[in-house]
């Protein structure tokens, strides 16, 4: 079995091939470049290095959210385009689940946190000592409420994700149970984990067509939230005027 993994839910751009339970290639870049500039060249590069015809892949696993709205749309469009062109099924992998999948073998409670801004994180809770178990499905929540929940559980916790540097001071102040931070090779999104978890889902029959796939944002975009708030307060004209000013100023 051969699975192509695509990860673009954050600043990280990553693609990987898992072949018969072996990671045969992974290309990961954590740098400020648009995923529309990086994903397809990265896929082409690993295909060339492996002398691989993409028609030989069995399915395409894609990080399906939550995360950056733009990043998820680019990853989704890339996976859908390849799925349609190659006539291959897609596998929707929850982003936070795939992050937790980085930490096989730990006896601790795994807690990925992605910065969702305004003291919010995208998170979930997992065990992965022998089998991968979802303790709390991925969701958006306040970082302090998350700390309270973790303390109440009374387990040692391992944090990972781009929310760690943003909220590390909160973690240090609020956590009363033992905790650690995942090391550099395991603390961000990786297409290898997306593809590896994709193998599991594929064997379980959890696939979808390219036409069926859609990202799971977990919450509305900031622009949508601002519009709803403006409508609630009867200030849609002020909001539109403010956006016009911003556009004219190059914001």
């Amino acid at each position: 079995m051969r699975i192509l993994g695509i990860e673009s839910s954050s600043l990280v751009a990553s693609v990987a091939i898992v072949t018969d339970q072996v990671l045969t290639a992974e290309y990961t870049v954590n740098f400020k470049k648009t995923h529309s500039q990086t994903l397809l060249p990265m896929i082409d590069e690993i295909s060339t290095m492996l002398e691989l015809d993409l028609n030989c892949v069995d399915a395409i696993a894609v990080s399906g959210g939550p995360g950056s709205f733009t990043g998820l749309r680019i990853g989704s469009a890339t996976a859908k385009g390849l799925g349609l062109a190659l006539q291959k099924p897609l596998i929707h992998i929850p982003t936070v689940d795939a992050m937790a999948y980085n930490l096989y073998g730990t006896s601790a409670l795994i807690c990925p946190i992605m910065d969702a801004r305004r003291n919010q994180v995208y998170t979930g809770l997992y065990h992965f000592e022998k089998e991968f178990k979802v303790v709390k499905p991925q969701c958006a929540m306040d970082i302090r409420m998350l700390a309270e929940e973790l303390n109440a559980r009374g387990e040692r916790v391992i944090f990972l994700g781009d929310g760690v540097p943003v909220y590390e001071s909160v973690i240090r102040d609020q956590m009363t149970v033992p905790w650690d931070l995942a090391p550099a090779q395991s603390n961000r999104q990786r297409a290898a984990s997306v593809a590896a978890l994709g193998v599991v889902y594929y064997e379980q029959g959890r696939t979808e067509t390219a036409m069926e796939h859609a990202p799971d944002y977990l919450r509305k975009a900031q622009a949508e939230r601002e519009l709803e708030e403006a409508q609630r307060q009867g200030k849609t004209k002020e909001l539109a005027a403010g956006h016009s000013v911003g556009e004219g100023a190059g914001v």
Side-chain angles (χ1 to χ4, degrees):
M1 183 189 303
R2 183 176 286 117
I3 302 295
L4 168 64
I6 298 174
E7 168 59 68
S8 63
S9 63
S10 69
L11 188 62
V12 176
S14 184
V15 297
I17 298 284
V18 169
T19 307
D20 297 330
Q21 298 296 332
V22 175
L23 175 63
T24 48
E26 183 179 24
Y27 191 161
T28 299
V29 176
N30 188 2
F31 192 69
K32 295 180 180 180
K33 286 196 174 183
T34 304
H35 295 325
S36 59
Q37 298 174 300
T38 57
L39 286 181
L40 285 175
M42 291 165 69
I43 293 171
D44 182 63
E45 181 68 19
I46 64 172
S47 299
T48 300
M49 292 293 290
L50 294 178
E51 300 179 355
L52 173 68
D53 182 350
L54 287 177
N55 284 289
C56 294
V57 303
D58 293 286
I60 301 162
V62 57
S63 178
S68 158
F69 282 66
T70 301
L72 290 172
R73 283 193 289 265
I74 293 170
S76 174
T78 302
K80 287 166 75 75
L82 288 171
L84 288 169
L86 301 172
Q87 296 185 327
K88 302 294 180 179
L90 269 58
I91 309 169
H92 185 125
I93 306 295
T95 300
V96 182
D97 292 19
M99 292 174 68
Y101 213 71
N102 290 353
L103 297 179
Y104 173 82
T106 179
S107 59
L109 185 64
I110 304 170
C111 182
I113 53 174
M114 299 173 64
D115 181 22
R117 302 187 178 181
R118 298 183 179 181
N119 292 316
Q120 293 263 316
V121 293
Y122 297 123
T123 188
L125 301 177
Y126 306 84
H127 282 145
F128 199 13
E129 188 167 6
K130 293 183 180 178
E131 296 180 358
F132 187 64
K133 296 181 180 180
V134 179
V135 178
K136 179 185 180 72
Q138 62 178 22
C139 63
M141 67 184 302
D142 181 87
I143 184 62
R144 287 178 172 79
M145 291 181 63
L146 174 61
E148 290 178 6
E149 181 173 337
L150 292 171
N151 289 333
R153 288 182 178 273
E155 299 180 64
R156 173 173 163 260
V157 182
I158 296 181
F159 292 99
L160 68 152
D162 62 22
V164 170
V166 178
Y167 298 110
E168 186 173 353
S169 61
V170 177
I171 292 171
R172 293 187 180 279
D173 289 343
Q174 300 292 319
M175 293 298 294
T176 58
V177 296
W179 58 272
D180 294 292
L181 304 180
Q185 77 276 9
S186 305
N187 69 11
R188 292 292 189 275
Q189 290 89 335
R190 293 184 59 180
S193 293
V194 172
L197 190 52
V199 171
V200 177
Y201 283 11
Y202 185 85
E203 291 176 340
Q204 295 174 349
R206 297 169 62 178
T207 63
E208 60 189 3
T209 67
M211 294 301 293
E212 290 171 331
H213 175 75
D216 182 7
Y217 299 114
L218 283 191
R219 69 178 193 180
K220 297 176 181 178
Q222 181 177 349
E224 292 180 87
R225 297 196 302 271
E226 288 179 353
L227 176 59
E228 289 180 354
E229 180 62 19
Q231 290 174 333
R232 187 182 68 81
Q233 297 181 11
K235 296 181 178 180
T236 52
K237 292 183 179 179
E238 291 88 339
L239 178 65
H243 281 192
S244 297
V245 171
E247 291 167 0
V251 174

